[in-house]
Amino acid sequence: MRPCALVTGASTGIGYELALLLARDGHRLVLVSRDRERLESAAARLRAEVPGVAIETHPVDLADPDGLEEVCARAAHLAPDVLVNNAGFGGYGPFARTSPAEEAAMIATNVTALTMLAKAVLPGMLERSTGRILNVGSTASFAPGPFAAVYAATKAYVLSFSEALAEETRGSGVTVTALCPGPTHTRFAARASMGGTRVFRGPVAQAGEVARIGYDALQAGRSVVVVGRVNRLMLFAIRFTPRRIVALISRRELSEVAPA
Ligand SMILES: NC(=O)c1ccc[n+]([C@@H]2O[C@H](COP(=O)([O-])OP(=O)(O)OC[C@H]3O[C@@H](n4cnc5c(N)ncnc54)[C@H](OP(=O)(O)O)[C@@H]3O)[C@@H](O)[C@H]2O)c1
């Protein structure tokens, strides 16, 4: 039987590219994302790219508690060899004026769904003494994000949670990896209304490149991987910088700039 990988947010962007790498590596895929049409079209592209790949699709809004419960039950039953917790989205604006419903859905997707899916598969992985979990964080995991306050806080959670699980599972045969990309060409910036910010006007990575780095780190069982040399340097410098200054720099990066 081929190994099984469950990937959330697999319809597009980084999640799609990770699903493609897993398929090429011989995995059966269980794909989850919100929009049915986008998910089915991604599955069709994957079947064309990797003939013979077995794909099961679940068009589910992970922010919906019933949808999440359904996916968690399926995940526990399937006992995947690999879980990729990639589904997530951001938002932009002063916290006093952003939509509470949108932010509640962001926390439910980026934090609750990621946590509950890990809970659904980890006991089985530990019993079998094998398994890999990849949680997608961000460079935003390392600093507060003025004007993207809730998003950055959800990604700080992803990093802290992943590092804790990596330590809890050390030596068990199960590994937990946090993939922390910087700005990447996907639908993310448009959905988050962040396309006009300074951070997306600088160098922006390709989704395929980010997925490859994440996949290699997953295979190697690394606990954290930050994408990009400049991002790694910046995050190293943050360790020696007072948090107040880090917030200030972050505010500048997240400010909107006039179109080029
Ligand atoms: N792109 C960047 O600059 C960047 C940087 C750092 C970290 N990240 C992180 O990378 C991950 C992947 O994002 P991406 O850049 O590839 O963005 P993307 O192209 O917008 O893809 C996001 C994926 O997540 C799915 N998704 C979002 N909300 C969902 C929900 N409530 N329920 C189920 N599926 C949901 C989307 O499905 P639908 O299309 O069906 O909604 C889509 O498949 C996210 O966790 C994001 O925070 C992105």
Side-chain angles (χ1 to χ4, degrees), residues 91-93 146-147 183-202 204 250-260:
Y92 187 73
F147 306 112
T184 307
H185 272 301
T186 64
R187 303 168 63 94
F188 173 87
R191 182 168 182 205
S193 307
M194 281 186 197
T197 58
R198 195 177 294 276
V199 71
F200 275 95
R201 292 296 168 88
V204 177
S250 192
R251 178 188 183 129
R252 181 176 175 277
E253 286 299 302
L254 284 165
S255 60
E256 285 188 308
V257 289

Side-chain angles (χ1 to χ4, degrees), residues 8-15 32-35 38 60-63 86-90 105 109-110 136-139 151 155 181-189 191 200:
T8 69
S11 64
T12 175
I14 299 167
V32 181
S33 68
R34 218 169 32 149
D35 185 273
R38 223 176 356 252
V60 165
D61 184 349
L62 290 169
N86 160 79
F89 67 96
T109 306
N110 299 8
V136 181
S138 168
T139 46
Y151 176 68
K155 291 300 176 178
T184 307
H185 272 301
T186 64
R187 303 168 63 94
F188 173 87
R191 182 168 182 205
F200 275 95

Side-chain angles (χ1 to χ4, degrees), residues 14 18 86 135-142 151 155 158 178-186 188 199-200 205-207 209-211 213-214 224-228 231 235:
I14 299 167
L18 282 162
N86 160 79
N135 292 328
V136 181
S138 168
T139 46
S141 299
F142 296 86
Y151 176 68
K155 291 300 176 178
V158 173
L179 165 62
C180 298
T184 307
H185 272 301
T186 64
F188 173 87
V199 71
F200 275 95
Q206 297 300 322
E209 169 193 348
V210 171
I213 289 166
V224 181
V225 61
V226 175
V227 177
N231 290 329
L235 298 180

